[in-house]
Amino acid sequence: MTSFQKQLEKYAELVVKVGVNIQPGQILYIESPIESVEFTRHVVRKAYEAGAKFVEVNWSDEQTTRIRYESAPDESFDFYPEWTARMMEQLAEGNGALLNIKVPDPELFKGIDTGKISRAGKAASIARQRFQGYVRNHKFSWCLVKAPTKAWADKVFADLPEDERVSVMWETIFKMNRVDKDDPVAAWKEHIAQLSETHERLTGKKYRRLHYKAPGTDLSVELPEGHLWLGGGGENEQGDYFVANMPTEEVFTMPKRDGVNGTVSSTLPLNLGGRLVDKFKLTFKDGIVVDYSAEVGQEHLKSLFDTDEGAKRLGEVALVPHDSPISNLNRIFYNTGIDENASCHFAVGSAYPFTLENGTKMSQEELLARGANVSLTHVDFMVGSADLDIDGELADGTIEPIFRKGNWV
């Protein structure tokens, strides 16, 4: 077995044991691009070795996806198959596990009418509302991981010879996921423990408000009473611990939906499902985006904010030090699942109910009343830099520094 094969096997084992944390008798559903077939086969094998009852793989191909937007009739973009939505609901309701190998090409929809993409995305979001509720409430185990595709590697490592890009991307993914350690599973357990220590300390602070200050950013973010900071992973409804995003370096909570005021500027490009948005600025008043601009892809931002009322409000606030493993690679990955773990970030759209005390037991109306945002969408965007300062306001009005020059105080 080559060194690469050993690393691939270790990565697959890590994803199965730590990411989705497969339990004996469980069903695993994998969404994978066809370019990831070798890695996916390793995952399937490791899942059965861990006791999975059944593993199903749904293969995807981005060029097939693009053909739809080039050739399908107009009514196609308001359609999403009900049977697919119901299948995903049954997976969650039956305590299955979902592994999504998600690596969208940042240029996939270049030249495609953004209206078609937005309509198709909204149709999918509406059809999958119940399932997304299960995701956001941690009803079942789910995990997003990365594997190289040629289009993605060509974008990220355009400065390297073409025949080296995919292999360098693999090395980078192994490194950011600690697969290069002797025992990646043990390394991840140690990492999760460190993140847990941080989020428990922040929860104990019970900050009333955070204030962000950086070039182009002056933002006040109120936090709801009873908010919880989390990071690393969490437990599903059955009490099984899983890690939803690999890699992960963040601790996060929910903001108060009507308590965000000021202006924030992005610091990294945003791959909005195959559409690139870059160098954008958002202005909030009483929680809602009242003005925005982007040097690249402003029309894509507009389509995002047009999803519903909640898409114009924040649903997540996340802290990541600038001096951290992925950030120190000094590389833009054009993939939110990676870039968000190199930078402090926010998300517009739905909040995660588990970041509020007893939130997973609340109705949508109760969540709204407590300050949690509700939306069909959830899109992270990066705001961290070496110039970012963050202050926290305690319940008694005391102001204390949390971040200075991009890092923990």
Side-chain angles (χ1 to χ4, degrees), residues 290-331:
V290 293
D291 193 24
Y292 61 92
S293 62
E295 289 186 23
V296 177
Q298 181 161 328
E299 70 277 17
H300 307 322
L301 268 187
K302 181 183 185 305
S303 70
L304 170 63
F305 294 141
D306 285 347
T307 303
D308 55 24
E309 198 268 349
K312 302 179 188 72
R313 299 179 184 271
L314 292 185
E316 180 187 337
V317 48
L319 303 180
V320 181
H322 186 68
D323 182 14
S324 60
I326 299 172
S327 177
N328 290 338
L329 293 171
N330 292 314
R331 182 76 57 169

Side-chain angles (χ1 to χ4, degrees), residues 14 28 37 46 55 70 75-76 107 135 174 176 218 241 340 384:
L14 178 69
L28 174 63
V37 61
K46 291 295 179 184
V55 181
E70 292 172 335
E75 61 266 27
S76 172
E107 308 282 355
V135 169
F174 290 152
M176 67 178 60
D218 188 352
Y241 192 92
E340 71 173 6

Side-chain angles (χ1 to χ4, degrees), residues 257-268:
R257 70 187 302 272
D258 58 359
V260 183
N261 288 279
T263 300
V264 63
S265 296
S266 69
T267 53
L268 289 171

Side-chain angles (χ1 to χ4, degrees), residues 332-359:
I332 298 171
F333 287 92
Y334 301 94
N335 182 292
T336 302
I338 295 177
D339 290 328
E340 71 173 6
N341 287 294
S343 170
C344 285
H345 56 276
F346 294 113
V348 291
S350 187
Y352 288 109
F354 56 78
T355 56
L356 187 67
E357 286 176 5
N358 300 313

